[in-house]
Amino acid sequence: MNDEFFKQLYHKQQDIADVPPNGAIAAWALSLLDLLFPERQTHPDRTIAQIREQFAQSERTLIAILNRTKACQDCNNGLVAQQFYSAIPELYRVMYSDASAIYEGDPAAVSEFEVIRTYPGFLAIALYRVAHTLMNLSVPLLPRILTEYAHSQTGIDIHPAAVIGEYFCIDHGTGVVIGETAVIGDKVKIYQGVTLGAMSVEKLLANTKRHPTIEDRVIIYAGATILGGDTVIGHDSIIGGNVWLTSSIPPYSTVYHQPTVKIVDSKTTH
């Protein structure tokens, strides 16, 4: 390394838009989830007045984060935070519907408490919903930071701009990818390794719908890949494991992959 390389890094840092550390942003969101779901805490014991004050402190923390974010310096951050926290009751209702969907959709789940406390699918969906609400308020950077934090913790990659209905269940979840322009209806269940992705497109098409639409009450089993902005999976359909789809299917369809499997009696080889 030489002085020219160090100068290059020095000049580059002058152009970086200031934003609080990712850990501080994630800590705010996790603290908010702790307030909403006492199941995430150990022996919570708060009065109504204390709960109210903790939400007020959470709102002040969000304003401080927005004020420290250079991309938000010309925004009315107080109004943005107020609008976000006004949406909290509805956000909580939808998040709780997700917990119920995971509990009722997984025979191994003992309780909704267990789902909220331990399930990676619930954590990824909850952080996505916080991020999506911020994105709808035109908050830059923070939504993607939150969903990438969830991705790092759970292996579930949900773009904050995706539109996802309520009572959403991700079972197991490792390797799930849900792209930016995906639209998912109500009461949809997705297993591990599912990709709702885009066909190969040029950068100039970034603002077009590139990811599929999944209508209500669809089940997508492990390893399935569904691609393309024009692809619509009709309601009440079942997509089997390892299926590859790039075209639409009508409602009430069952799509499955039929591999060739050979079973050899190993005793004959000894």
Side-chain angles (χ1 to χ4, degrees):
M1 293 185 290
N2 54 38
D3 285 347
E4 285 303 315
F5 177 69
F6 295 130
K7 286 179 182 178
Q8 179 184 354
L9 294 180
Y10 172 79
H11 290 301
K12 184 176 181 180
Q13 74 183 8
Q14 310 306 309
D15 298 326
I16 298 298
D18 188 31
V19 63
N22 291 4
I25 296 166
W28 163 76
L30 294 172
S31 177
L32 176 61
L33 293 185
D34 289 344
L35 288 176
L36 291 172
F37 298 99
E39 295 93 333
R40 289 174 47 86
Q41 302 180 53
T42 301
H43 303 302
D45 184 15
R46 303 166 294 170
T47 66
I48 292 176
Q50 288 171 328
I51 293 172
R52 183 182 293 111
E53 173 53 30
Q54 286 177 324
F55 271 104
Q57 179 57 51
S58 178
E59 184 171 348
R60 290 191 292 269
T61 301
L62 176 58
I63 293 172
I65 289 172
L66 293 173
N67 287 341
R68 286 185 59 195
T69 302
K70 187 174 182 180
C72 300
Q73 64 185 5
D74 296 325
C75 304
N76 188 336
N77 294 327
L79 178 60
V80 169
Q82 182 183 35
Q83 291 173 329
F84 176 82
Y85 281 87
S86 293
I88 286 291
E90 174 63 10
L91 192 60
Y92 171 78
R93 185 193 68 80
V94 176
M95 286 180 182
Y96 209 92
S97 81
D98 300 326
S100 297
I102 294 170
Y103 168 63
E104 294 173 15
D106 182 4
V110 174
S111 64
E112 289 176 349
F113 175 94
E114 182 186 44
V115 168
I116 292 167
R117 187 68 175 258
T118 69
Y119 273 50
F122 177 76
L123 178 61
I125 296 168
L127 288 173
Y128 150 78
R129 294 209 185 276
V130 171
H132 184 72
T133 303
L134 290 172
M135 179 160 277
N136 285 343
L137 293 170
S138 300
V139 174
L141 298 175
L142 272 62
R144 193 60 183 263
I145 288 171
L146 289 178
T147 54
E148 288 303 332
Y149 172 81
H151 184 192
S152 71
Q153 296 298 303
T154 67
I156 298 169
D157 182 2
I158 308 176
H159 194 286
V163 177
I164 301 177
E166 57 189 73
Y167 203 80
F168 181 47
C169 173
I170 296 179
D171 197 356
H172 302 294
T174 305
V176 165
V177 177
I178 299 174
E180 178 184 17
T181 61
V183 176
I184 299 175
D186 296 334
K187 299 184 177 180
V188 170
K189 185 175 185 180
I190 290 178
Y191 286 83
Q192 68 272 18
V194 166
T195 297
L196 304 182
M199 305 287 281
S200 179
V201 295
E202 297 179 7
K203 186 68 174 179
L204 59 85
L205 298 176
N207 294 325
T208 63
K209 189 176 187 310
R210 309 181 309 283
H211 305 90
T213 295
I214 312 298
E215 295 184 346
D216 297 345
R217 297 177 299 279
V218 169
I219 300 174
I220 308 176
Y221 282 99
T225 298
I226 304 173
L227 305 178
D230 295 328
T231 302
V232 178
I233 304 303
H235 62 81
D236 298 283
S237 291
I238 298 174
I239 309 301
N242 299 316
V243 163
W244 178 283
L245 274 177
T246 58
S247 58
S248 299
I249 63 168
Y252 300 103
S253 297
T254 297
V255 183
Y256 58 92
H257 176 66
Q258 212 168 20
T260 300
V261 178
K262 293 183 178 181
I263 301 175
V264 177
D265 184 355
S266 60
K267 288 186 294 186
T268 62
T269 65
H270 291 283

